[in-house]
């Protein structure tokens, strides 16, 4: 079974998707879907790429793994499907956007970040699948003979390829897990912004980071317009 991914991205990342490592992982994950309840839906695993046009790429936001409760995950880091209660981390992201742009949005109910993806934000989880009710359940190695494969091996290669093929991209790294990806990002040709994670446990290190304003300031140097304003 082949997971669905945009043709342009598939071409850019062909060395990854044609690799033996990826083929083994795809087979292992496909079997997980047969035996267990896995999120997101199979057709949504690569939504981060399918909804963000490669040629329009401006920002990469790196998450950890998908939400693990029903009807939440749909292939975009931090995003939930429309009409789903906003998770605390996403609510804090919206609060930071409000504070930075001095805009207040009452009664925010739509946590679907597709509007950002379509503007050129790659909302990429490092681990692209999860078992229902079990956070980080796919943060593991899938072993086949002498091969040890996991999602991070694949997504780390993807991040590295993107950061070397594209210049003047903003990478937002929130929390220690995302910060650990700094070493695989080409920092000479791109902007890396780091802060605490928006989770309530670390939000005091996230609030006031001004990442959204700083992102716009950087992008505007290349005459790029961008809107983080919330799509209600």
């Amino acid at each position: 079974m082949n997971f669905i991914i945009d043709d342009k991205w598939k071409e850019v990342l062909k060395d990854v998707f044609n690799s033996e490592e990826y083929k083994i992982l795809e087979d292992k994950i496909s079997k997980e879907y047969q035996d267990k309840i896995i999120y997101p839906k199979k057709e949504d695993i690569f939504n981060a790429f399918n909804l963000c046009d490669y040629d329009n790429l401006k920002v990469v936001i790196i998450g950890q793994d998908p939400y693990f409760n029903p009807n939440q995950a749909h292939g975009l880091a931090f995003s939930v499907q429309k009409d789903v209660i906003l998770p605390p981390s996403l609510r804090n992201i919206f609060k930071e956007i409000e504070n930075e742009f001095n805009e207040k949005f009452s009664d925010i109910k739509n946590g679907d970040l597709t509007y950002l993806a379509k503007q050129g934000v790659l909302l990429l989880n490092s681990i692209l699948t999860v078992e229902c009710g079990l956070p980080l359940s796919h943060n593991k190695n899938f072993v086949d003979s002498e091969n040890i494969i996991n999602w991070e091996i694949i997504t780390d290669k993807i991040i590295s390829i993107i950061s070397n093929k594209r210049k003047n991209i903003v990478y937002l790294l929130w929390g220690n897990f995302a910060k650990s990806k700094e070493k695989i990002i080409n920092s000479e040709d791109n902007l890396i912004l780091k802060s605490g994670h928006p989770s309530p446990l670390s939000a005091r290190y996230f609030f006031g980071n001004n990442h959204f304003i700083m992102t716009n300031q950087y992008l505007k140097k290349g005459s790029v317009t961008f809107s983080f304003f919330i799509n209600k």
Side-chain angles (χ1 to χ4, degrees):
M1 182 187 74
N2 292 319
F3 300 137
I4 301 170
I5 186 166
D6 172 80
D7 287 342
K8 181 61 181 286
W9 279 107
K10 188 181 292 185
E11 174 61 25
V12 170
L13 302 172
K14 61 184 178 182
D15 289 345
V16 174
F17 293 119
N18 291 334
S19 69
E20 190 64 26
E21 291 173 323
Y22 176 75
K23 292 175 183 178
I24 292 170
L25 179 64
E26 185 178 68
D27 180 64
K28 295 293 186 181
I29 295 296
S30 295
K31 290 177 181 177
E32 291 277 304
Y33 274 94
Q34 293 174 6
D35 300 332
K36 304 170 184 177
I37 299 175
I38 305 298
Y39 301 128
K41 296 177 182 178
K42 291 191 293 290
E43 58 268 29
D44 291 341
I45 291 176
F46 288 110
N47 259 358
F49 302 94
N50 296 331
L51 295 172
C52 175
D53 182 72
Y54 174 78
D55 293 323
N56 190 40
L57 180 64
K58 304 180 184 76
V59 180
V60 177
I61 298 178
I62 298 176
Q64 190 161 352
D65 70 333
Y67 296 117
F68 54 86
N69 290 320
N71 303 316
Q72 289 184 311
H74 63 129
L76 301 178
F78 293 104
S79 179
V80 292
Q81 299 180 62
K82 188 176 181 180
D83 298 324
V84 173
I85 295 174
L86 269 61
S89 292
L90 180 56
R91 188 169 292 280
N92 285 338
I93 289 171
F94 284 156
K95 285 181 180 178
E96 178 62 21
I97 292 172
E98 289 180 324
N99 291 336
E100 289 187 30
F101 294 101
N102 197 28
E103 293 279 349
K104 295 299 178 184
F105 303 89
S106 62
D107 196 25
I108 300 169
K109 294 181 179 179
N110 186 1
D112 184 350
L113 300 181
T114 296
Y115 79 100
L116 287 180
K118 288 184 175 180
Q119 289 186 82
V121 180
L122 184 66
L123 295 156
L124 180 63
N125 278 317
S126 291
I127 304 156
L128 295 181
T129 54
V130 68
E131 185 175 348
C132 177
L134 298 173
L136 293 175
S137 52
H138 281 185
N139 182 26
K140 62 182 179 182
N141 292 323
F142 294 89
V143 181
D144 185 359
S145 299
E146 296 181 356
N147 297 300
I148 299 176
I149 307 298
N150 59 46
W151 271 124
E152 279 196 79
I153 291 174
I154 301 302
T155 55
D156 279 3
K157 288 183 177 180
I158 288 173
I159 293 167
S160 179
I161 289 171
I162 294 170
S163 75
N164 283 295
K165 282 184 175 290
R166 295 294 303 273
K167 296 182 179 181
N168 303 317
I169 304 297
V170 181
Y171 289 81
L172 302 183
L173 310 182
W174 300 330
N176 290 332
F177 181 86
K179 290 176 185 177
S180 71
K181 306 301 178 182
E182 182 178 11
K183 62 182 179 293
I184 59 174
I185 299 170
N186 174 7
S187 60
E188 292 185 7
D189 298 320
N190 301 284
L191 176 65
I192 299 174
L193 299 176
K194 299 177 291 183
S195 78
H197 193 276
S199 162
L201 295 176
S202 56
R204 65 186 181 277
Y205 302 113
F206 172 79
F207 288 133
N209 63 20
N210 288 318
H211 280 186
F212 301 106
I213 284 180
M214 292 168 70
T215 294
N216 263 344
Q217 289 174 339
Y218 181 80
L219 293 174
K220 285 178 180 176
K221 292 178 182 178
S223 300
V224 174
T225 58
F226 199 86
S227 175
F228 282 110
F229 292 150
I230 297 164
N231 177 22
K232 295 194 292 180

